[in-house]
């Protein structure tokens, strides 16, 4: 149990385009979902927290207009990187938390912006 | 800031027990100790968590000292597939508040040698 999926697993896009990443909790209802970013050889950094049906709460220094988060249902959250630039290239990881209060993580999405 | 300190790395022989230490001297009474691991280029995997009693599951055992200022994650029979970065994280229970989020430090890199 407690499986979280992400799609796509890897994406390459041109500078200036937008990219959407989906995160799904497959076998539980996620009242809260989290988005993290990880640069090479660094630890995970929390970007934002979203509760189903509410606006996301962004961590300090994370631009909410650049990283759009939607958590429209108890099993789906999306992260859209708008007008992506090479410095946005990173490993994006979502996690979901449900009734057990334990966070489970997705496999991650490798974004490369050319 | 992460509220835990871990050695940067350790290694152990395949088949032997791996004992991963973690210091959390400022842990509060309502904070749990969580352990996750991240295998290269994957999302973190939940291992175990505990409050004050020792815990065991199919993956590992968690030993928490009586004063709760430190803990040890034990992988009883390490395999090559256990090579990963292991994160010890303290987190308060519940769904609100800054301390209810998972904040990742640098973790400890465990290398299991044949």
């Amino acid at each position: 149990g407690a499986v979280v999926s992400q799609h796509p697993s890897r994406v390459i896009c041109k500078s200036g385009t937008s990219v959407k990443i989906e995160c799904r909790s497959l076998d539980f209802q996620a009242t809260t979902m989290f988005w993290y970013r990880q640069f090479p050889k660094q630890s995970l950094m929390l970007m934002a927290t979203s509760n189903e049906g509410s606006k996301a709460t962004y961590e300090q220094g994370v631009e909410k207009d650049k990283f759009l988060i939607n958590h429209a249902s108890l099993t789906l959250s999306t992260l859209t990187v708008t007008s992506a630039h090479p410095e946005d290239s990173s490993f994006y990881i979502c996690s979901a938390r449900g009734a057990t209060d334990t966070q489970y993580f997705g496999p991650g999405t490798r974004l490369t912006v050319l | 800031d992460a509220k835990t300190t871990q050695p940067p790395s350790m290694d152990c022989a395949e088949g032997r027990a791996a004992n991963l230490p973690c210091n959390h001297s400022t842990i509060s009474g309502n904070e749990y100790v969580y352990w996750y691991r991240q295998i290269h280029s994957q999302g973190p995997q939940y291992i175990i968590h505990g409050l004050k009693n020792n815990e065991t599951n199919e993956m590992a055992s968690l030993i928490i000292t009586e004063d709760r200022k430190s803990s040890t994650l034990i992988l009883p029979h390490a395999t090559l597939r256990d090579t990963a970065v292991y994160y010890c994280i303290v987190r308060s229970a519940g769904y609100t508040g800054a301390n209810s989020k998972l904040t990742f430090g640098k973790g400890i890199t465990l290398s299991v040698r044949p």
Side-chain angles (χ1 to χ4, degrees):
Chain A
V3 178
V4 177
S5 70
Q6 276 184 247
H7 178 80
S9 58
R10 140 184 336 257
V11 58
I12 301 172
C13 70
K14 292 182 179 180
S15 186
T17 61
S18 294
V19 174
K20 180 184 283 189
I21 303 169
E22 288 188 353
C23 175
R24 293 181 185 272
S25 56
L26 299 185
D27 52 2
F28 67 101
Q29 293 186 324
T31 50
T32 307
M33 285 187 167
F34 305 83
W35 287 94
Y36 291 79
R37 180 168 53 180
Q38 186 175 33
F39 292 107
K41 298 190 185 300
Q42 295 186 21
S43 191
L44 284 79
M45 294 296 296
L46 179 64
M47 298 174 67
T49 302
S50 73
N51 293 299
E52 186 262 339
S54 302
K55 288 185 178 180
T57 302
Y58 291 80
E59 296 297 304
Q60 192 172 7
V62 178
E63 299 175 58
K64 62 180 182 180
D65 295 329
K66 182 167 184 61
F67 299 99
L68 302 179
I69 292 171
N70 184 280
H71 189 172
S73 78
L74 286 172
T75 59
L76 173 65
S77 176
T78 60
L79 168 69
T80 301
V81 183
T82 63
S83 187
H85 288 92
E87 58 266 29
D88 298 322
S89 298
S90 190
F91 192 48
Y92 291 87
I93 309 167
C94 74
S95 73
R97 187 172 71 191
T100 65
D101 200 28
T102 296
Q103 267 182 249
Y104 296 95
F105 286 80
T109 297
R110 177 79 56 195
L111 171 63
T112 302
V113 185
L114 302 177
Chain B
D1 293 332
K3 296 178 65 174
T4 63
T5 55
Q6 301 176 255
S9 64
M10 67 175 290
D11 63 18
C12 75
E14 188 176 21
R16 305 298 294 268
N19 298 302
L20 286 72
C22 181
N23 182 289
H24 32 80
S25 58
T26 61
I27 192 169
S28 300
N30 68 339
E31 288 182 319
Y32 287 75
V33 180
Y34 280 78
W35 282 84
Y36 286 80
R37 72 180 182 184
Q38 186 177 26
I39 296 170
H40 184 62
S41 295
Q42 297 181 25
Q45 178 187 21
Y46 166 77
I47 301 173
I48 200 168
H49 74 281
L51 183 62
K52 54 183 178 181
N53 296 324
N54 297 337
E55 302 287 343
T56 295
N57 62 20
E58 64 278 5
M59 288 184 68
S61 294
L62 174 60
I63 308 298
I64 303 174
T65 57
E66 193 168 338
D67 63 8
R68 303 213 318 126
K69 293 184 177 182
S70 65
S71 60
T72 301
L73 179 75
I74 301 173
L75 307 179
H77 305 286
T79 71
L80 299 178
R81 288 176 295 181
D82 291 323
T83 292
V85 179
Y86 287 75
Y87 297 97
C88 169
I89 304 168
V90 297
R91 195 211 128 199
S92 63
Y95 295 84
T96 60
N99 292 338
S100 68
K101 307 175 199 177
L102 287 178
T103 301
F104 285 79
K106 296 181 179 180
I108 178 172
T109 300
L110 173 67
S111 300
V112 181
R113 61 181 187 275

